[in-house]
Amino acid sequence: MTYCVAMLLEQGVLFASDSRTNAGVDHIATFRKMHLFQDGSDRRIVIVSAGNLATTQSVISLLQKQVKIGDEHILGMHSLYDVATQVGRTVREVIARDSGQQAQGSVDFSCSLIVGGQIRGEQPRLFNVYAQGNFIEATADTPYFQIGESKYGKPIIDRVITAQTSLAQAVKCALISFDSTIRSNISVGPPIDVLLHHRDDFQLQEPYRFEESHPYLQQLRQAWSSGLNQLFASLPDIGIEG
Amino acid sequence: MTYCVAMLLEQGVLFASDSRTNAGVDHIATFRKMHLFQDGSDRRIVIVSAGNLATTQSVISLLQKQVKIGDEHILGMHSLYDVATQVGRTVREVIARDSGQQAQGSVDFSCSLIVGGQIRGEQPRLFNVYAQGNFIEATADTPYFQIGESKYGKPIIDRVITAQTSLAQAVKCALISFDSTIRSNISVGPPIDVLLHHRDDFQLQEPYRFEESHPYLQQLRQAWSSGLNQLFASLPDIGIEG
């Protein structure tokens, strides 16, 4: 599995993804699941992916190829809505191609993607693209999307994140959400890639990578864990007659 | 869905279950998912159930009927292992009966059950019975089982519960685990039934019911929520250049 989360905030957009891929428990590898499309001038588009790795890699390769040959390229589109539409079309194309082969057995070719960022002239936007190629857009009411192994890390996001949360607080929340997931599910693992798109900033940048040994990550995990245990211990018990 | 959790501790066994049943989002009802078999003298057996309600109700009805007619009755068995075996056999019987009918469509008849408690002469024991009728037993290394919508509420249990945790602390942890689940998933809802089996105590008892308005539950939810937000705010930020 995989775990990715993205948050659409007033200050900008946060993206975070883990790097563990597994086919069964004995074929575990590290793959970056965050992909950037940017030109340093008027756009930053980020895609994080979960699901069948063959499908998601093909989708990204085809999107990059389209960029190069200029055919419906997402670096030339005027709206993130058009980008999401193109990503969805490419997802359908890859799944139709791969699942049409013989001897496919019971393989699940599906995937899900979060596509977001900003194109100059628009607000930052965020979309969740499904395996069927359709998609939904984040709003201030529900300013985040998760894909992959999302349930373990959802409660802390539900408790903390609103559209007004700062990007710095959002990074902290995302890392805690990953920590909860990683502790409870071996199919999600570090390193964790994080990218912050600050509103109207289109300078080239690369994802920030948190290795397992990253001092801030270690400090945060330790402080969160001991803080939770202290908080838990501080709450009153109840007497239930057994 | 459903959410149930049970914990095998040195002091005894905790069982907790929610009460919401849904078939789609427009057919929501309240059903108790905790079932007791006790005689007030030498045993207390508790079953909590998740999955297809028709299946789990039939399983419980058949087990109760067996009790009455004395045919392989679980109130007469000498070991909880034999009880788990009988529960598994009954699960297989019901699923085979119901899924053998025509016009079943794509209905999922499966269920999962947690069976535990104590029979005099044995230690307290706890089993997780699968839809296939086989089962696993909790040990000190992994002293708890969850069934149903389990992922949201797993991180807090992983952080807090060991075999040495007291029953009073375990109730607190279970209620927080339910709170995290209920906030993030509408298919799980109160009231929450809790039963504590204190080691070697076989007096008759009924589950303790926490309605949504229960003062302790409200106090705990509020204190946990504000404590989490304070803890979150107290942790240091990190500067990532975006």
Side-chain angles (χ1 to χ4, degrees):
Chain A
M1 277 297 268
T2 294
Y3 176 41
C4 302
V5 61
M7 304 173 186
L8 179 68
L9 308 169
E10 289 183 354
Q11 290 185 356
V13 194
L14 170 144
F15 300 87
S17 58
D18 84 319
S19 307
R20 186 165 293 177
T21 295
N22 70 303
V25 292
D26 57 354
H27 191 159
I28 293 178
T30 300
F31 283 93
R32 175 161 289 192
K33 295 160 192 174
M34 183 179 289
H35 310 277
L36 266 79
F37 296 83
Q38 52 188 346
D39 57 11
S41 68
D42 75 344
R43 69 189 58 216
R44 179 178 294 119
I45 299 165
V46 184
I47 302 179
V48 290
S49 56
N52 185 302
L53 184 64
T55 300
T56 56
Q57 284 192 337
S58 267
V59 168
I60 299 298
S61 290
L62 287 172
L63 291 171
Q64 288 168 336
K65 192 171 146 202
Q66 288 158 0
V67 168
K68 284 191 187 137
I69 62 176
D71 174 30
E72 297 180 324
H73 56 87
I74 64 179
L75 283 184
M77 291 173 173
H78 298 299
S79 164
L80 263 169
Y81 181 89
D82 296 334
V83 172
T85 307
Q86 176 68 1
V87 172
R89 194 181 297 132
T90 308
V91 167
R92 276 195 294 265
E93 182 186 322
V94 170
I95 293 180
R97 180 195 72 187
D98 289 358
S99 64
Q101 304 300 319
Q102 291 182 317
Q104 55 177 274
S106 60
V107 173
D108 180 2
F109 292 94
S110 71
C111 70
S112 54
L113 303 159
I114 302 175
V115 181
Q118 189 179 5
I119 295 176
R120 195 186 292 279
E122 286 196 323
Q123 301 294 316
R125 299 177 77 173
L126 190 63
F127 297 88
N128 187 351
V129 181
Y130 300 109
Q132 291 72 26
N134 57 345
F135 49 85
I136 58 173
E137 182 169 5
T139 65
D141 289 329
T142 303
Y144 72 90
F145 288 131
Q146 301 172 290
I147 54 176
E149 197 61 80
S150 60
K151 294 183 180 182
Y152 305 103
K154 186 169 188 288
I156 183 62
I157 299 176
D158 283 336
R159 287 182 197 272
V160 166
I161 295 296
T162 69
Q164 288 74 45
T165 306
S166 71
L167 282 168
Q169 296 280 302
V171 173
K172 200 163 75 173
C173 176
L175 291 177
I176 291 170
S177 177
F178 271 87
D179 182 39
S180 297
T181 308
I182 288 167
R183 278 171 178 267
S184 290
N185 188 302
I186 59 156
S187 77
V188 177
I192 302 165
D193 292 320
V194 175
L195 189 135
L196 301 183
H197 168 70
H198 292 267
R199 173 186 287 267
D200 299 330
D201 172 2
F202 299 108
Q203 290 180 68
L204 294 177
Q205 65 160 306
E206 289 302 308
Y208 189 92
R209 175 156 278 199
F210 288 91
E211 301 284 351
E212 187 153 21
S213 60
H214 191 290
Y216 177 72
L217 187 59
Q218 287 195 328
Q219 179 195 3
L220 189 69
R221 295 177 75 163
Q222 206 280 325
W224 181 250
S225 180
S226 64
L228 272 188
N229 279 285
Q230 280 169 27
L231 170 61
F232 180 80
S234 76
L235 299 180
D237 291 345
I238 184 174
I240 299 179
E241 274 323 295
Chain B
M1 278 295 271
T2 294
Y3 175 42
C4 301
V5 61
M7 304 174 186
L8 179 68
L9 309 169
E10 290 183 353
Q11 290 186 356
V13 194
L14 170 143
F15 301 87
S17 58
D18 85 319
S19 307
R20 187 164 293 177
T21 295
N22 71 302
V25 292
D26 56 354
H27 191 160
I28 293 178
T30 300
F31 284 93
R32 176 161 290 195
K33 296 160 192 173
M34 183 179 290
H35 311 277
L36 266 80
F37 296 83
Q38 52 188 347
D39 57 11
S41 68
D42 75 345
R43 68 189 58 216
R44 180 178 294 120
I45 299 166
V46 184
I47 302 180
V48 291
S49 57
N52 186 302
L53 184 65
T55 299
T56 57
Q57 284 192 337
S58 268
V59 167
I60 298 299
S61 289
L62 287 172
L63 290 171
Q64 288 168 336
K65 192 173 144 202
Q66 289 158 3
V67 168
K68 284 190 187 139
I69 62 177
D71 174 28
E72 297 180 322
H73 57 86
I74 65 179
L75 283 184
M77 292 173 172
H78 299 299
S79 164
L80 263 168
Y81 182 90
D82 296 334
V83 172
T85 307
Q86 177 68 2
V87 172
R89 193 182 298 132
T90 308
V91 168
R92 274 195 295 266
E93 182 185 322
V94 170
I95 293 180
R97 181 195 72 187
D98 289 357
S99 64
Q101 303 301 319
Q102 291 183 315
Q104 56 177 273
S106 59
V107 173
D108 180 2
F109 292 94
S110 70
C111 70
S112 54
L113 304 158
I114 302 176
V115 181
Q118 188 178 6
I119 294 175
R120 197 185 292 278
E122 286 197 324
Q123 301 295 316
R125 300 176 76 173
L126 191 63
F127 297 88
N128 187 350
V129 181
Y130 300 110
Q132 290 73 27
N134 58 345
F135 50 84
I136 57 174
E137 182 170 4
T139 65
D141 290 329
T142 302
Y144 72 90
F145 289 130
Q146 300 171 292
I147 55 175
E149 197 60 79
S150 61
K151 294 183 179 182
Y152 305 102
K154 188 170 187 287
I156 183 63
I157 299 175
D158 284 336
R159 289 182 196 272
V160 166
I161 296 295
T162 68
Q164 289 74 45
T165 306
S166 71
L167 281 168
Q169 296 280 303
V171 173
K172 200 164 73 173
C173 177
L175 292 177
I176 292 171
S177 177
F178 272 87
D179 181 40
S180 297
T181 308
I182 288 167
R183 277 171 179 266
S184 291
N185 189 300
I186 58 156
S187 77
V188 177
I192 302 165
D193 291 320
V194 175
L195 189 134
L196 302 183
H197 168 70
H198 291 267
R199 175 186 286 267
D200 299 331
D201 173 2
F202 299 108
Q203 290 181 68
L204 294 177
Q205 63 159 308
E206 289 304 309
Y208 189 93
R209 174 156 278 199
F210 288 93
E211 301 283 352
E212 186 154 21
S213 60
H214 191 289
Y216 177 73
L217 186 59
Q218 288 195 329
Q219 180 195 3
L220 189 69
R221 295 177 75 163
Q222 206 280 324
W224 181 250
S225 179
S226 64
L228 272 188
N229 279 285
Q230 280 168 29
L231 170 60
F232 180 79
S234 76
L235 299 181
D237 291 344
I238 183 174
I240 299 180
E241 276 320 296

